[in-house]
Structure formats: structure tokens, C-alpha cells
Amino acid sequence: QFHLAMKKDRFLSQFKTYYPNAWCKDSCDPEFTNIKHPCRGAENTCQFSRDTNVDASTGRPRASSCWRFAFRFHQQEAKDTNGFMIQAEEYGGLGDGQKIETEMAKEAGIKIFRTYTVPNQDPVWWKIEKISNHIQAWYTNGCKDPELLENVWIGTSDVTKPDGTKWDDRPPTERL
């Protein structure tokens, strides 16, 4: 649902987005998201052949590609056009695939904006304009510090945890 919310934002809707869950469903990793598996989506780390990963007529990933190869391909496209990666963190932390995507982004040198919110919050309460404003500010400031991951709270600001502390209490940036 996050990618659909982005499409409704005036600024974010201008960007080409890649939503990996929509298509690539294969992996050279038999466990799919084993972080210890060496594949990081590069031709020299992926265990699938180039023919399996790349459509010769387009030079782009095919439906049979390793998901990591396809994801890294799109990360590189974003980097080459001064783009970025938005990572929507779900309650409970990053999934194993998201941890791998973060490692690949670090290797590719692409900026990450990571959104987070309260558990099970209805998307109608998400403040997508917050991520939009962060990205606009990054462009305004010359796209500096791609190695700093930016944490962006998109939840409502008046929500507290059962212990009374705020959900939006993490540092604004982290070094990758």
C-alpha cells in the first residue's frame, strides 16, 4: 500500500518507482532471504547465469531473474540518475530481504530514506508528505551524504507506546 500512497503525492508521483513484490519471484539463494548467502545482486555475486537474469533484447532483468539481481539493477539505475531508495519498515523491524536490500544499497552507494510508523496503523493515517519533504530537502541541499540513511517517521505524532514513550524516537540519520 505504501507505493500506492506515494503515487498520490504531488512530488513523489514524479519518480519512477520499482516495487519488487510485484514481479521477480526467483532467487539464486535456495532460502531466498538468507543474509549469509553471497548474492548481492551483482553479476559477480549472483549464482544465476547472465542469460537467466538479463533479457538480451532489452538489457534489463527478466521475469526469471534472481530478485536480488533485479533489485540491484534498479538501485543502480536510481543511483545513475541521482535517485534514492525508500524503504518502508514494518513494525517489528526490517525483514530479512530488507536487510539484504540495505546491504546492496550501501554497496551501490545509493541514498536510503527509511519510513516507520506504529504497528498496524491504517495507511489513511500515514503522513506521506513527511517523506516527500525529506526527499525534497535532500535535493535542495545538493543530494549530499548518500551514506547517511534517513529515518522518517510517517505516523501521527500523538501516538505513544504502552510504556508512555513516543514511537518516533529514533535518530534522524544513521551511517550505513
Side-chain angles (χ1 to χ4, degrees):
Q1 292 186 357
F2 186 84
H3 71 286
L4 297 174
M6 283 179 49
K7 291 290 185 191
K8 294 178 182 176
D9 180 86
R10 190 171 38 98
F11 178 73
L12 295 176
S13 65
Q14 300 174 56
F15 292 93
K16 177 183 169 189
T17 59
Y18 174 65
Y19 179 58
N21 294 347
W23 70 295
C24 210
K25 300 294 183 197
D26 211 346
S27 179
C28 69
D29 169 10
E31 296 175 43
F32 216 77
T33 56
N34 179 348
I35 200 152
K36 293 180 181 177
H37 191 276
C39 181
R40 291 298 176 265
E43 284 196 44
N44 65 337
T45 64
C46 187
Q47 295 174 0
F48 278 2
S49 70
R50 179 170 174 76
D51 289 341
T52 301
N53 280 330
V54 179
D55 182 323
S57 65
T58 64
R60 301 183 64 77
R62 10 167 116 247
S64 60
S65 296
C66 172
W67 76 264
R68 298 179 196 204
F69 181 87
F71 198 89
R72 179 67 176 265
F73 176 90
H74 291 283
Q75 284 179 324
Q76 190 62 49
E77 273 192 330
K79 181 179 187 219
D80 292 346
T81 58
N82 222 18
F84 51 89
M85 179 173 111
I86 297 176
Q87 191 170 53
E89 180 178 332
E90 295 182 16
Y91 178 65
L94 297 176
D96 291 341
Q98 289 179 305
K99 292 173 185 174
I100 294 166
E101 293 164 2
T102 300
E103 282 190 9
M104 292 191 303
K106 181 179 178 181
E107 290 177 10
I110 189 171
K111 179 73 170 180
I112 302 174
F113 294 90
R114 183 176 292 152
T115 65
Y116 66 109
T117 188
V118 298
N120 304 316
Q121 186 173 50
D122 189 317
V124 300
W125 296 105
W126 292 346
K127 305 294 183 190
I128 294 297
E129 66 273 8
K130 291 180 180 179
I131 187 69
S132 183
N133 292 340
H134 273 263
I135 295 168
Q136 288 178 64
W138 181 63
Y139 276 113
T140 299
N141 292 321
C143 304
K144 295 179 183 167
D145 304 319
E147 73 285 354
L148 290 180
L149 176 147
E150 292 192 32
N151 290 305
V152 182
W153 170 258
I154 61 167
T156 55
S157 59
D158 59 347
V159 181
T160 57
K161 297 178 186 175
D163 66 4
T165 59
K166 294 190 141 231
W167 283 100
D168 61 344
D169 60 354
R170 65 172 72 171
T173 61
E174 299 175 38
R175 188 159 299 281
L176 287 175

